[in-house]
Amino acid sequence: LAKTTQPISMDSYEGQEVNITCSHNNIATNDYITWYQQFPSQGPRFIIQGYKTKVTNEVASLFIPADRKSSTLSLPRVSLSDTAVYYCLVGEGPGSGNTGKLIFGQGTTLQVKP
Amino acid sequence: DAGVTQSPTHLIKTRGQQVTLRCSPISGHKSVSWYQQVLGQGPQFIFQYYEKEERGRGNFPDRFSARQFPNYSSELNVNALLLGDSALYLCATREGASYNEQFFGPGTRLTVL
């Protein structure tokens, strides 16, 4: 499974847009890119997933360049409640044969300041 | 809708003991995965079960075992506990074996003394 690299930590201020970039140079053709958010003492929560180009939902956008060797999670106008650890994962996409195995790295700790 | 539930929420055991952790999936979810999260690190995959069969196993010793019941709930068993087994144990469920988002429970905090 492809290994991901992302910054250990980031700081931001309320109201700013935050972009967290993840590197995944060895991504496979059928791999999808997924981002999870985790608050202390809670389980991770799915944020967004994509395969290529741009995906947007009500909480975030995911930008994936054509070579798919990196991706950027964009959080618009962050608030204090967005302080959390954000994980970038690369792995199995649709298909009845996949195992559901998620490979988490250390994640990026985002600290939003007032 | 009830989310993924796990029990107990906290547990304290001593070295050498055995522990059983339980997970109830969201209604309609047939796949259950277990993860171990040591403080300061990301979750590490232990097992995945789908339709009561093991579909994936992470790099954990045989002291770790799991099973899934006909109602799709699951148990994780850890024998001969070591201090290093102290962690947050997370259960994640999803509808099927193919891709879709996984929903995590709140976890069970296991402390081994």
Side-chain angles (χ1 to χ4, degrees):
Chain A
L1 292 172
K3 178 182 168 63
T4 60
T5 303
Q6 52 183 124
I8 296 294
S9 64
M10 293 182 67
D11 289 341
S12 182
Y13 291 92
E14 282 190 292
Q16 288 188 331
E17 178 185 73
V18 170
N19 295 308
I20 307 175
T21 296
C22 178
S23 172
H24 28 79
N25 292 317
N26 297 322
I27 189 168
T29 302
N30 61 347
D31 280 344
Y32 276 64
I33 300 153
T34 311
W35 286 80
Y36 278 79
Q37 174 194 55
Q38 187 177 27
F39 299 111
S41 298
Q42 294 186 26
R45 183 177 73 100
F46 174 94
I47 301 175
I48 198 166
Q49 183 174 75
Y51 183 79
K52 61 180 179 180
T53 63
K54 177 183 175 182
V55 180
T56 298
N57 61 23
E58 63 276 8
V59 298
S61 294
L62 178 59
F63 299 92
I64 306 168
D67 66 5
R68 302 197 333 118
K69 293 184 183 299
S70 67
S71 59
T72 299
L73 174 72
S74 181
L75 304 172
R77 298 179 298 282
V78 294
S79 64
L80 296 176
S81 63
D82 292 317
T83 294
V85 179
Y86 291 83
Y87 294 98
C88 167
L89 291 80
V90 172
E92 302 163 334
S96 59
N98 75 41
T99 64
K101 179 178 182 179
L102 299 178
I103 305 295
F104 288 84
Q106 281 197 301
T108 298
T109 299
L110 173 65
Q111 180 69 51
V112 180
K113 302 175 182 178
Chain B
D1 273 346
V4 178
T5 59
Q6 293 187 242
S7 62
T9 55
H10 295 85
L11 203 52
I12 299 175
K13 291 285 189 179
T14 57
R15 282 178 296 176
Q17 286 189 310
Q18 176 265 342
V19 68
T20 298
L21 311 180
R22 296 175 176 83
C23 171
S24 291
I26 293 171
S27 177
H29 285 196
K30 300 179 180 180
S31 170
V32 174
S33 298
W34 287 95
Y35 293 80
Q36 179 197 66
Q37 186 172 26
V38 175
L39 198 61
Q41 297 183 19
Q44 301 297 306
F45 175 79
I46 309 175
F47 287 109
Q48 192 236 3
Y49 276 77
Y50 176 69
E51 289 284 11
K52 301 180 290 295
E53 290 189 2
E54 182 183 303
R55 295 291 297 271
R57 174 184 284 255
N59 188 24
F60 280 81
D62 291 343
R63 299 185 296 108
F64 288 76
S65 64
R67 56 180 175 168
Q68 186 177 32
F69 298 98
N71 65 355
Y72 303 110
S73 66
S74 178
E75 286 183 351
L76 175 69
N77 296 285
V78 187
N79 293 322
L81 285 168
L82 304 174
L83 296 179
D85 295 330
S86 295
L88 180 68
Y89 287 85
L90 295 160
C91 169
T93 77
R94 59 182 183 172
E95 285 185 40
S98 60
Y99 156 68
N100 48 27
E101 84 180 77
Q102 297 199 30
F103 294 82
F104 282 81
T108 293
R109 172 70 63 186
L110 173 64
T111 302
V112 182
L113 303 176

